[in-house]
Amino acid sequence: MTSLEQRETSYILIAKGAKAYDIMGVNPGLEQIPANYVLELIKNTNSNPKAMSVNFIEYIKHYYHNGHHPMTGIVEKREKEIINKSPDIGPTSEYELSIIGSAVFDRDKLVGYLNGNDTKALNFFLDKIKGGVITFHTPVSESSSDELSSVYIIKNKTKNDIEILDGRIILKTKVKLTSSMGEVIGNIDISKEENIKKMEEACSKAIEEALEAAVKKVQKEYKLDIFGFGIVFHRKYPSQWKNIESNWDEIFSEAEFQIEVDTNIIRTGLINTPINRIKVE
């Protein structure tokens, strides 16, 4: 018999585009128990910020708080890509599970979904980023360059705040990211300190744009505070909160956002130097 404590710490997932029994019927491969297969996917969210893990306690906590609507992770059945498949085998239906993305709730009503990139941004706001990769445009001299570089997240700290200025409510988010260089592609010499600074600024800009895009999407499409700014407001301005609590979501959907990201790259990793820059001695 499962104890109450175990049930409260169980994870909640929404089966997107399928019934729950369809999800549990997917062959888990080496893992013999389907539930354990799903559990292992959830545990891997620490290294995959595009997914979300929410247990029953977290969901209930936000369900009863007007300043933070609940979210859950999602699980989706997808057709598995088979490499070097023999043409003699014919069509097959092999599937795997994906938990990329998240589900948006208005109390107990499912109102929509966020894709992987928006979920990653949400995890930044919620200070749930534990690892993963940030990809951004390499800051080379050619402004039209499409070459991409990346950093590995070592540590992240996000702080959300509220400011009331001339009657306007401003929602503020500061992200402090510590990372290591992943892959560098492009005409840039990162042995120079000034170029490391440019890489940090490019990474910060990419995160800021991703967070801003997610905020605008939620404000426009869902008009629900899933970021928890209502909780911050309640703690900082308890007396004012009493007057706006009932229409906080409306205020949130029209509020101004200020997002600031500070990236610190502490060491380098794999560097891909363009062939035309390699000198033969």
Side-chain angles (χ1 to χ4, degrees), residues 17-240:
K19 300 293 185 181
Y21 58 77
D22 292 328
I23 297 297
M24 298 308 294
V26 173
N27 184 353
L30 296 177
E31 178 56 64
Q32 297 301 312
I33 304 176
N36 288 347
Y37 170 44
V38 176
L39 182 60
E40 287 301 315
L41 291 175
I42 296 173
K43 289 180 178 179
N44 288 334
T45 57
N46 283 340
S47 58
N48 182 11
K50 291 186 177 182
M52 175 167 287
S53 59
V54 175
N55 62 33
F56 183 74
I57 294 176
E58 290 176 295
Y59 179 88
I60 292 298
K61 179 177 66 175
H62 298 318
Y63 178 91
Y64 287 106
H65 201 298
N66 290 336
H68 190 169
H69 287 275
M71 300 284 298
T72 70
I74 66 172
V75 59
E76 198 170 2
K77 184 173 73 171
R78 295 181 178 179
E79 191 167 356
K80 185 186 298 184
E81 294 184 6
I82 304 176
I83 302 175
N84 296 328
K85 177 183 172 183
S86 173
D88 298 330
I89 297 178
T92 60
S93 297
E94 294 190 38
Y95 296 94
E96 60 185 355
L97 299 182
S98 169
I99 59 169
I100 294 177
S102 52
V104 182
F105 281 81
D106 184 358
R107 296 183 66 84
D108 57 353
K109 180 182 178 182
L110 174 65
V111 295
Y113 297 98
L114 295 182
N115 62 28
N117 289 331
D118 290 334
T119 299
K120 186 175 184 178
L122 175 61
N123 279 324
F124 265 108
F125 281 108
L126 300 178
D127 199 23
K128 286 189 172 185
I129 297 291
K130 306 300 180 183
V133 177
I134 303 295
T135 303
F136 54 91
H137 288 283
T138 306
V140 296
S141 56
E142 300 85 357
S143 59
S144 61
S145 173
D146 289 328
E147 295 169 313
L148 298 176
S149 294
S150 62
V151 297
Y152 296 107
I153 299 172
I154 297 175
K155 182 173 64 175
N156 179 76
K157 181 62 180 177
T158 299
K159 182 179 180 181
N160 296 321
D161 196 11
I162 299 280
E163 181 180 356
I164 300 177
L165 183 64
D166 298 328
R168 295 182 299 118
I169 296 176
I170 302 174
L171 312 179
K172 295 185 172 184
T173 294
K174 289 187 178 182
V175 175
K176 190 171 182 61
L177 180 74
T178 302
S179 62
S180 64
M181 192 68 73
E183 188 173 19
V184 180
I185 302 177
N187 187 21
I188 186 170
D189 182 1
I190 63 169
S191 65
K192 297 180 179 180
E193 185 176 348
E194 61 267 27
N195 287 337
I196 289 291
K197 182 66 176 177
K198 291 179 181 178
M199 296 290 280
E200 292 173 340
E201 291 172 351
C203 180
S204 294
K205 180 181 178 181
I207 297 173
E208 289 172 0
E209 291 176 348
L211 267 59
E212 183 178 354
V215 167
K216 289 182 177 179
K217 177 178 181 178
V218 173
Q219 284 182 315
K220 180 180 180 180
E221 294 187 15
Y222 301 127
K223 303 184 187 301
L224 298 172
D225 181 5
I226 60 174
F227 305 101
F229 280 96
I231 296 176
V232 178
F233 195 109
H234 187 193
R235 291 172 179 169
K236 191 171 183 179
Y237 305 104
S239 57
Q240 290 95 323

